[in-house]
């Protein structure tokens, strides 16, 4: 967990530990970088504005290098645009002030998250998604995708040829915390399409959801 407010950092850490989580804390991005380099985690919690910069940019940069750890942003930046921006990089977004019980529930949900079924390689045409290695390739070329992009593509490939409803994709990638009327899913699918290049792999079924094939 990265949070520069010492009182809040301590309160959150104590609450999470009291609910059975092992927690490491950092007050800035440099500390987070060092901690992530030497330890393995099920999820990470970042305050957005900490010493060293905006954690959103930090996580976005790490995503481009294959960092796929589920991330919850904890922040006072609660505008719609800021939430959409945060959910395009992280996996959950909780605005201050918040209830500790809700934070614990969201962290628990992120830590439980994992690939569907047993690790396998899902294929459609020249697109391959390796659930065990958490890698996506097209034409044998490794693509850099975010954790949520991986989850959305995973569910689509697991149901290739069938339409996957928007609500199912949202539940798979964001649990229940994303408003189904939000355009975050559409933004993410657009980003994923650009990364997959031509010809198109993910198709829109208006008013219903998306499909592969």
């Amino acid at each position: 967990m990265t949070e520069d407010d010492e009182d809040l950092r301590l309160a959150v850490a104590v609450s999470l530990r009291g609910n059975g989580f092992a927690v490491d804390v950092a007050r800035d991005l440099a500390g987070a970088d060092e901690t992530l380099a030497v330890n393995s985690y099920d999820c990470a919690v970042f305050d957005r504005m900490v010493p060293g910069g905006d954690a959103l940019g930090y996580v976005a940069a790490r995503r481009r290098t294959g960092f796929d750890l589920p991330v919850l942003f904890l922040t006072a930046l609660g505008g719609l645009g800021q939430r959409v921006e945060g959910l395009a990089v992280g996996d959950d977004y909780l605005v201050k002030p918040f209830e500790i019980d809700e934070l614990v529930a969201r962290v628990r949900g992120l830590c439980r998250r994992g690939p569907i079924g047993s690790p396998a390689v899902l294929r459609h045409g020249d697109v391959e998604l390796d659930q065990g290695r958490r890698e996506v390739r097209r034409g044998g070329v490794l693509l850099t995708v975010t954790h949520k992009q991986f989850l959305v593509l995973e569910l689509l490939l697991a149901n290739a040829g069938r339409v996957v409803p928007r609500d199912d994709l949202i539940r798979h990638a964001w649990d229940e915390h994303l408003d189904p009327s939000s355009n975050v899913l559409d933004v993410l699918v657009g980003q994923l399409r650009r990364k997959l290049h031509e010809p198109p792999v993910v198709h829109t079924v208006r008013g219903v959801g998306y499909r592969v094939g």
Side-chain angles (χ1 to χ4, degrees):
M1 172 190 172
T2 303
E3 166 64 57
D4 64 332
D5 184 311
E6 185 174 357
D7 291 338
L8 180 58
R9 185 169 67 244
L10 177 61
V12 170
V14 168
S15 297
L16 290 173
R17 287 168 181 153
N19 281 272
F21 295 98
V23 181
D24 289 324
V25 297
R27 70 173 301 275
D28 55 29
L29 295 180
D33 212 34
E34 292 175 3
T35 302
L36 288 168
V38 298
N39 297 294
S40 177
Y41 299 100
D42 294 316
C43 71
V45 178
F46 284 91
D47 184 11
R48 273 197 61 174
M49 305 309 297
V50 294
D54 186 345
L56 182 71
Y58 168 81
V59 174
R62 293 206 59 161
R63 291 295 198 216
R64 291 192 289 272
T65 66
F67 179 73
D68 64 355
L69 189 69
V71 169
L72 165 66
F73 286 115
L74 192 64
T75 178
L77 303 176
L80 175 59
Q82 292 162 331
R83 296 198 306 273
V84 169
E85 182 183 42
L87 287 168
V89 174
D91 302 273
D92 204 350
Y93 198 92
L94 185 58
V95 177
K96 302 174 185 178
F98 57 87
E99 297 293 334
I100 287 291
D101 287 347
E102 182 178 6
L103 172 64
V104 170
R106 293 197 183 196
V107 169
R108 183 173 290 114
L110 286 183
C111 288
R112 283 200 303 258
R113 186 172 292 174
I116 53 177
S118 300
V121 177
L122 302 176
R123 294 183 176 88
H124 179 79
D126 62 351
V127 176
E128 295 183 355
L129 182 146
D130 189 318
Q131 293 177 312
R133 295 178 178 273
R134 311 293 286 176
E135 293 178 347
V136 176
R137 297 176 185 272
R138 183 156 199 190
V141 177
L142 180 65
L143 307 179
T144 300
V145 298
T146 67
H147 179 69
K148 291 193 306 304
Q149 289 167 357
F150 183 94
L151 290 172
V152 167
L153 184 60
E154 178 183 50
L155 191 59
L156 289 169
L157 288 173
N159 292 274
R162 298 191 294 271
V163 178
V164 181
R166 293 176 58 87
D167 287 355
D168 288 355
L169 290 165
I170 287 171
R171 277 193 296 270
H172 186 63
W174 286 275
D175 296 328
E176 71 277 15
H177 306 308
L178 181 65
D179 182 350
S181 64
S182 167
N183 72 336
V184 170
L185 175 61
D186 307 292
V187 171
L188 182 143
V189 169
Q191 295 169 342
L192 184 58
R193 282 171 169 154
R194 288 191 291 274
K195 290 182 178 181
L196 290 169
H197 303 297
E198 297 291 335
V201 175
V202 180
H203 304 279
T204 303
V205 180
R206 294 193 180 281
V208 182
Y210 295 92
R211 67 173 173 83
V212 163

